[in-house]
Amino acid sequence: MGVLDGTTALITGGSRGIGRAICLRLAKYGAAIILHYHRNREAAEETAALIDGPVTLVQADLASAAEIEALFQSLAGRRLDLLINNAGVWKGSPVGSSPVELIDELLATNLKGPFLVTQAALPLLNDGARIVNISSVAGRTGVAGGRSLYGATKAAMDSLTRNWALELAPRRILVNAVAPGYITTDMTAAYLADPANLERALIRHPLGRLGTPEDIADVVAFLCSPDARFITGQSLNVSGGFVI
Ligand code: NAP
């Protein structure tokens, strides 16, 4: 018996990194998994193979409204209990030299996408469902490296979290966010391969290590569990003390 037995979870960006760990954790607790991916079908299949339970793979570029619409058409008739808005991109956007295409891509993938996904998911979500948004400490504090737009999209995710919690409370849908510090995934691999960047990142983590995808997945699973039944509108800082 798992605490999520009988539930169905849609995880965006479930193919790799934090999303993969979330899929595995929620499945371990009994949820049926709808695993969304973008380009990396092979990674999505690898994740699915690690899951002992029902898994459905769905594909979409979440920067595209048309692809989000098609994704939800393919889910017609399904019911959802858990929605994890995890997919995102981490790109530099130095103010003064960022092309409009890059600005559009960051806003579309990290902000417009989760908004449209959540909007499309609402008719499928059961009353009492849970939504967990993956934001970032970059939405709460300045981080060197010219990634202001990324930080802005993550601050926006925290704002969406607070406001959706109010909007969806009449349906008893709980909406929370998890804000990681540096987590070792494909997203940060190239950056952290530079010893100077790694040292800078470690200094920001008083607990003395960077985070793992499982550090985040465990907290997401908690927020999806009955134990978190009276928590809504919160963004939990899960960063080993990056921001205190
Ligand atoms: P990751 O390893 O780079 O994986 C990114 C995931 O997002 C993949 O599943 C990818 O799908 C999907 N994705 C990327 N662009 C997409 C698009 N246009 N449409 C649909 N899906 C797309 O990233 P991660 O480190 O696990 O990060 C997951 C979330 O945590 C992100 O929101 C990120 O901002 C946040 N976060 C990460 C860190 C960190 O240090 N890693 C820190 C704070 C917050 P494919 O596999 O198909 O490409």
Side-chain angles (χ1 to χ4, degrees):
M1 286 285 287
V3 290
L4 299 178
D5 277 353
T7 65
T8 299
L10 169 60
I11 299 100
T12 69
S15 42
R16 294 184 281 126
I18 293 170
R20 171 180 287 188
I22 293 170
C23 287
L24 299 184
R25 192 64 79 208
L26 297 185
K28 186 177 159 199
Y29 291 159
I33 303 297
I34 302 176
L35 187 168
H36 156 270
Y37 68 99
H38 178 210
R39 292 204 173 96
N40 202 330
R41 171 94 194 176
E42 197 180 331
E45 286 177 350
E46 275 174 26
T47 306
L50 295 169
I51 292 173
D52 184 17
V55 191
T56 308
L57 297 188
V58 291
Q59 189 278 335
D61 178 358
L62 299 185
S64 157
E67 292 199 23
I68 291 172
E69 196 181 333
L71 164 65
F72 278 89
Q73 275 167 7
S74 79
L75 293 178
R78 299 287 301 258
R79 302 301 304 166
L80 296 175
D81 305 284
L82 312 168
L83 168 64
I84 317 299
N85 284 311
N86 164 75
V89 287
W90 187 56
K91 292 193 172 181
S93 57
V95 65
S97 59
S98 292
V100 70
E101 294 78 13
L102 172 74
I103 296 167
D104 286 343
E105 182 195 348
L106 269 163
L107 293 176
T109 311
N110 289 8
L111 181 55
K112 191 170 85 172
F115 191 97
L116 289 174
V117 165
T118 304
Q119 190 156 261
L122 280 183
L124 279 58
L125 282 166
N126 291 318
D127 288 356
R130 309 287 173 94
I131 299 173
V132 181
N133 297 320
I134 305 302
S135 63
S136 169
V137 292
R140 301 178 175 209
T141 185
V143 182
R147 294 175 198 261
S148 60
L149 259 183
Y150 174 81
T153 64
K154 294 304 186 178
M157 285 298 271
D158 284 345
S159 177
L160 294 180
T161 299
R162 290 188 288 271
N163 286 284
W164 290 349
L166 289 170
E167 285 185 64
L168 301 178
R171 290 185 55 196
R172 294 178 292 101
I173 294 176
L174 307 184
V175 188
N176 291 292
V178 175
Y182 281 107
I183 308 295
T184 49
T185 66
D186 293 347
M187 181 175 275
T188 51
Y191 178 80
L192 295 173
D194 179 334
N197 290 339
L198 178 61
E199 192 184 337
R200 263 196 296 274
L202 278 169
I203 287 168
R204 298 292 301 256
H205 291 70
L207 288 186
R209 67 167 176 88
L210 305 184
T212 66
E214 292 73 24
D215 290 329
I216 305 307
D218 283 348
V219 179
V220 172
F222 162 68
L223 288 170
C224 291
S225 78
D227 287 348
R229 62 192 170 276
F230 211 47
I231 302 175
T232 196
Q234 302 304 303
S235 176
L236 295 190
N237 166 10
V238 184
S239 66
F242 193 119
V243 176
I244 290 181

